[in-house]
Tab-separated table of all heavy atoms in Angstrom:
chain	number	residue	atom	x	y	z
A	1	TYR	N	-19.572	-15.141	-10.623
A	1	TYR	CA	-18.226	-14.948	-11.164
A	1	TYR	C	-17.352	-14.455	-10.021
A	1	TYR	O	-17.283	-13.267	-9.730
A	1	TYR	CB	-18.250	-13.978	-12.344
A	1	TYR	CG	-19.158	-14.504	-13.430
A	1	TYR	CD1	-20.439	-14.009	-13.606
A	1	TYR	CD2	-18.734	-15.552	-14.229
A	1	TYR	CE1	-21.268	-14.536	-14.569
A	1	TYR	CE2	-19.565	-16.087	-15.202
A	1	TYR	CZ	-20.831	-15.577	-15.364
A	1	TYR	OH	-21.660	-16.114	-16.305
A	2	TYR	N	-16.696	-15.368	-9.374
A	2	TYR	CA	-15.983	-15.134	-8.124
A	2	TYR	C	-14.938	-14.030	-8.225
A	2	TYR	O	-14.053	-14.071	-9.067
A	2	TYR	CB	-15.326	-16.441	-7.655
A	2	TYR	CG	-16.336	-17.548	-7.541
A	2	TYR	CD1	-16.488	-18.469	-8.565
A	2	TYR	CD2	-17.172	-17.637	-6.433
A	2	TYR	CE1	-17.437	-19.477	-8.474
A	2	TYR	CE2	-18.120	-18.643	-6.339
A	2	TYR	CZ	-18.248	-19.555	-7.366
A	2	TYR	OH	-19.193	-20.531	-7.282
A	3	ASN	N	-15.065	-13.034	-7.346
A	3	ASN	CA	-14.117	-11.936	-7.166
A	3	ASN	C	-13.920	-11.042	-8.383
A	3	ASN	O	-13.012	-10.215	-8.385
A	3	ASN	CB	-12.756	-12.461	-6.688
A	3	ASN	CG	-12.847	-13.065	-5.306
A	3	ASN	OD1	-13.590	-12.584	-4.455
A	3	ASN	ND2	-12.121	-14.128	-5.076
A	4	VAL	N	-14.747	-11.145	-9.411
A	4	VAL	CA	-14.596	-10.274	-10.575
A	4	VAL	C	-14.823	-8.821	-10.192
A	4	VAL	O	-14.092	-7.935	-10.628
A	4	VAL	CB	-15.555	-10.687	-11.715
A	4	VAL	CG1	-15.594	-9.655	-12.821
A	4	VAL	CG2	-15.142	-12.038	-12.267
A	5	MET	N	-15.808	-8.536	-9.344
A	5	MET	CA	-16.090	-7.160	-8.938
A	5	MET	C	-15.517	-6.854	-7.556
A	5	MET	O	-15.948	-5.932	-6.885
A	5	MET	CB	-17.596	-6.898	-8.967
A	5	MET	CG	-18.194	-6.963	-10.356
A	5	MET	SD	-17.468	-5.817	-11.547
A	5	MET	CE	-18.008	-4.258	-10.902
A	6	GLN	N	-14.517	-7.586	-7.133
A	6	GLN	CA	-13.848	-7.348	-5.853
A	6	GLN	C	-13.085	-6.027	-5.923
A	6	GLN	O	-12.313	-5.797	-6.861
A	6	GLN	CB	-12.869	-8.483	-5.546
A	6	GLN	CG	-12.107	-8.329	-4.267
A	6	GLN	CD	-12.965	-8.670	-3.061
A	6	GLN	OE1	-13.946	-9.380	-3.174
A	6	GLN	NE2	-12.608	-8.154	-1.922
A	7	LEU	N	-13.309	-5.146	-4.957
A	7	LEU	CA	-12.583	-3.883	-4.920
A	7	LEU	C	-11.135	-4.138	-4.540
A	7	LEU	O	-10.845	-4.958	-3.668
A	7	LEU	CB	-13.233	-2.932	-3.909
A	7	LEU	CG	-14.665	-2.515	-4.238
A	7	LEU	CD1	-15.255	-1.707	-3.097
A	7	LEU	CD2	-14.717	-1.737	-5.531
A	8	MET	N	-10.234	-3.442	-5.163
A	8	MET	CA	-8.805	-3.625	-4.883
A	8	MET	C	-8.457	-3.269	-3.444
A	8	MET	O	-7.497	-3.772	-2.892
A	8	MET	CB	-7.962	-2.779	-5.849
A	8	MET	CG	-8.115	-3.207	-7.299
A	8	MET	SD	-7.690	-4.931	-7.595
A	8	MET	CE	-5.937	-4.883	-7.356
A	9	THR	N	-9.261	-2.400	-2.812
A	9	THR	CA	-8.992	-2.002	-1.431
A	9	THR	C	-9.542	-2.989	-0.416
A	9	THR	O	-9.242	-2.894	0.759
A	9	THR	CB	-9.606	-0.618	-1.147
A	9	THR	OG1	-11.011	-0.686	-1.404
A	9	THR	CG2	-8.968	0.445	-2.032
A	10	ALA	N	-10.361	-3.930	-0.865
A	10	ALA	CA	-10.966	-4.894	0.048
A	10	ALA	C	-9.934	-5.926	0.491
A	10	ALA	O	-9.089	-6.357	-0.283
A	10	ALA	CB	-12.146	-5.591	-0.613
A	11	GLU	N	-10.023	-6.311	1.741
A	11	GLU	CA	-9.115	-7.325	2.262
A	11	GLU	C	-9.805	-8.678	2.274
A	11	GLU	O	-11.010	-8.772	2.448
A	11	GLU	CB	-8.691	-6.965	3.684
A	11	GLU	CG	-7.826	-5.739	3.749
A	11	GLU	CD	-7.356	-5.453	5.159
A	11	GLU	OE1	-7.295	-6.384	5.973
A	11	GLU	OE2	-7.050	-4.285	5.430
A	12	GLY	N	-9.025	-9.716	2.132
A	12	GLY	CA	-9.562	-11.070	2.232
A	12	GLY	C	-10.242	-11.519	0.958
A	12	GLY	O	-10.263	-10.837	-0.058
A	13	ASP	N	-10.812	-12.691	1.043
A	13	ASP	CA	-11.482	-13.306	-0.081
A	13	ASP	C	-12.984	-13.159	0.103
A	13	ASP	O	-13.570	-13.810	0.958
A	13	ASP	CB	-11.093	-14.791	-0.160
A	13	ASP	CG	-11.713	-15.472	-1.358
A	13	ASP	OD1	-12.024	-14.779	-2.342
A	13	ASP	OD2	-11.894	-16.693	-1.299
A	14	ASN	N	-13.609	-12.293	-0.650
A	14	ASN	CA	-15.039	-12.064	-0.552
A	14	ASN	C	-15.740	-12.883	-1.630
A	14	ASN	O	-15.854	-12.458	-2.773
A	14	ASN	CB	-15.350	-10.576	-0.716
A	14	ASN	CG	-16.825	-10.287	-0.590
A	14	ASN	OD1	-17.638	-11.190	-0.374
A	14	ASN	ND2	-17.190	-9.043	-0.733
A	15	PHE	N	-16.195	-14.068	-1.255
A	15	PHE	CA	-16.802	-14.956	-2.252
A	15	PHE	C	-18.130	-14.431	-2.776
A	15	PHE	O	-18.670	-14.963	-3.728
A	15	PHE	CB	-16.960	-16.377	-1.691
A	15	PHE	CG	-18.136	-16.553	-0.766
A	15	PHE	CD1	-19.290	-17.165	-1.219
A	15	PHE	CD2	-18.090	-16.109	0.538
A	15	PHE	CE1	-20.377	-17.342	-0.388
A	15	PHE	CE2	-19.164	-16.286	1.382
A	15	PHE	CZ	-20.317	-16.901	0.926
A	16	ARG	N	-18.664	-13.370	-2.173
A	16	ARG	CA	-19.910	-12.774	-2.662
A	16	ARG	C	-19.667	-11.489	-3.447
A	16	ARG	O	-20.615	-10.775	-3.729
A	16	ARG	CB	-20.836	-12.469	-1.491
A	16	ARG	CG	-21.386	-13.688	-0.827
A	16	ARG	CD	-22.415	-13.286	0.196
A	16	ARG	NE	-22.811	-14.424	0.972
A	16	ARG	CZ	-23.244	-14.360	2.207
A	16	ARG	NH1	-23.338	-13.207	2.813
A	16	ARG	NH2	-23.588	-15.445	2.851
A	17	SER	N	-18.446	-11.165	-3.791
A	17	SER	CA	-18.171	-9.913	-4.492
A	17	SER	C	-18.997	-9.837	-5.772
A	17	SER	O	-19.075	-10.796	-6.537
A	17	SER	CB	-16.686	-9.786	-4.806
A	17	SER	OG	-16.280	-10.810	-5.671
A	18	GLY	N	-19.622	-8.708	-5.992
A	18	GLY	CA	-20.447	-8.517	-7.175
A	18	GLY	C	-21.851	-9.059	-7.061
A	18	GLY	O	-22.683	-8.818	-7.920
A	19	ARG	N	-22.168	-9.764	-5.991
A	19	ARG	CA	-23.504	-10.326	-5.794
A	19	ARG	C	-24.387	-9.295	-5.132
A	19	ARG	O	-23.974	-8.628	-4.187
A	19	ARG	CB	-23.412	-11.571	-4.919
A	19	ARG	CG	-24.712	-12.284	-4.744
A	19	ARG	CD	-24.473	-13.571	-3.932
A	19	ARG	NE	-25.707	-14.190	-3.602
A	19	ARG	CZ	-26.410	-13.921	-2.498
A	19	ARG	NH1	-25.960	-13.059	-1.629
A	19	ARG	NH2	-27.547	-14.525	-2.277
A	20	TRP	N	-25.608	-9.140	-5.601
A	20	TRP	CA	-26.539	-8.158	-5.047
A	20	TRP	C	-27.700	-8.898	-4.415
A	20	TRP	O	-28.405	-9.645	-5.076
A	20	TRP	CB	-27.023	-7.246	-6.155
A	20	TRP	CG	-27.883	-6.115	-5.702
A	20	TRP	CD1	-27.860	-5.495	-4.488
A	20	TRP	CD2	-28.878	-5.447	-6.468
A	20	TRP	NE1	-28.769	-4.474	-4.461
A	20	TRP	CE2	-29.407	-4.427	-5.669
A	20	TRP	CE3	-29.359	-5.610	-7.750
A	20	TRP	CZ2	-30.409	-3.569	-6.109
A	20	TRP	CZ3	-30.352	-4.753	-8.192
A	20	TRP	CH2	-30.869	-3.745	-7.382
A	21	SER	N	-27.897	-8.694	-3.142
A	21	SER	CA	-28.962	-9.376	-2.410
A	21	SER	C	-29.864	-8.355	-1.741
A	21	SER	O	-29.379	-7.397	-1.146
A	21	SER	CB	-28.347	-10.290	-1.345
A	21	SER	OG	-29.355	-10.869	-0.556
A	22	PRO	N	-31.180	-8.554	-1.799
A	22	PRO	CA	-32.087	-7.621	-1.136
A	22	PRO	C	-32.056	-7.738	0.378
A	22	PRO	O	-32.530	-6.853	1.070
A	22	PRO	CB	-33.468	-8.007	-1.670
A	22	PRO	CG	-33.324	-9.429	-2.057
A	22	PRO	CD	-31.898	-9.597	-2.512
A	23	GLY	N	-31.500	-8.791	0.915
A	23	GLY	CA	-31.480	-8.976	2.368
A	23	GLY	C	-32.742	-9.676	2.827
A	23	GLY	O	-33.822	-9.455	2.287
A	24	ALA	N	-32.607	-10.536	3.790
A	24	ALA	CA	-33.757	-11.300	4.278
A	24	ALA	C	-34.144	-10.876	5.683
A	24	ALA	O	-34.818	-11.593	6.385
A	24	ALA	CB	-33.439	-12.787	4.246
A	25	ASN	N	-33.723	-9.697	6.093
A	25	ASN	CA	-34.064	-9.222	7.436
A	25	ASN	C	-35.265	-8.284	7.398
A	25	ASN	O	-35.303	-7.289	8.082
A	25	ASN	CB	-32.850	-8.541	8.076
A	25	ASN	CG	-32.322	-7.408	7.217
A	25	ASN	OD1	-32.777	-7.205	6.100
A	25	ASN	ND2	-31.365	-6.674	7.742
A	26	GLN	N	-36.238	-8.628	6.590
A	26	GLN	CA	-37.431	-7.807	6.430
A	26	GLN	C	-38.356	-7.938	7.636
A	26	GLN	O	-38.543	-9.014	8.168
A	26	GLN	CB	-38.200	-8.254	5.178
A	26	GLN	CG	-37.382	-8.368	3.932
A	26	GLN	CD	-36.960	-7.031	3.377
A	26	GLN	OE1	-37.650	-6.040	3.520
A	26	GLN	NE2	-35.805	-7.002	2.764
A	27	THR	N	-38.955	-6.812	8.045
A	27	THR	CA	-39.978	-6.884	9.084
A	27	THR	C	-41.329	-7.225	8.466
A	27	THR	O	-42.186	-7.779	9.130
A	27	THR	CB	-40.069	-5.548	9.858
A	27	THR	OG1	-40.268	-4.481	8.923
A	27	THR	CG2	-38.804	-5.319	10.659
């Protein structure tokens, strides 16, 4: 759901707003 959880203080278009990722930089 694009930009639904975008913070009002954030600049630009964050197409990942509200998305939670564990990160793939695991050792």
Side-chain angles (χ1 to χ4, degrees):
Y1 301 102
Y2 305 98
N3 294 324
V4 170
M5 295 302 292
Q6 179 77 22
L7 297 174
M8 296 302 290
T9 58
E11 292 183 24
D13 183 25
N14 181 0
F15 78 102
R16 291 187 188 152
S17 63
R19 185 176 173 271
W20 185 28
S21 175
N25 56 354
Q26 310 289 329
T27 54

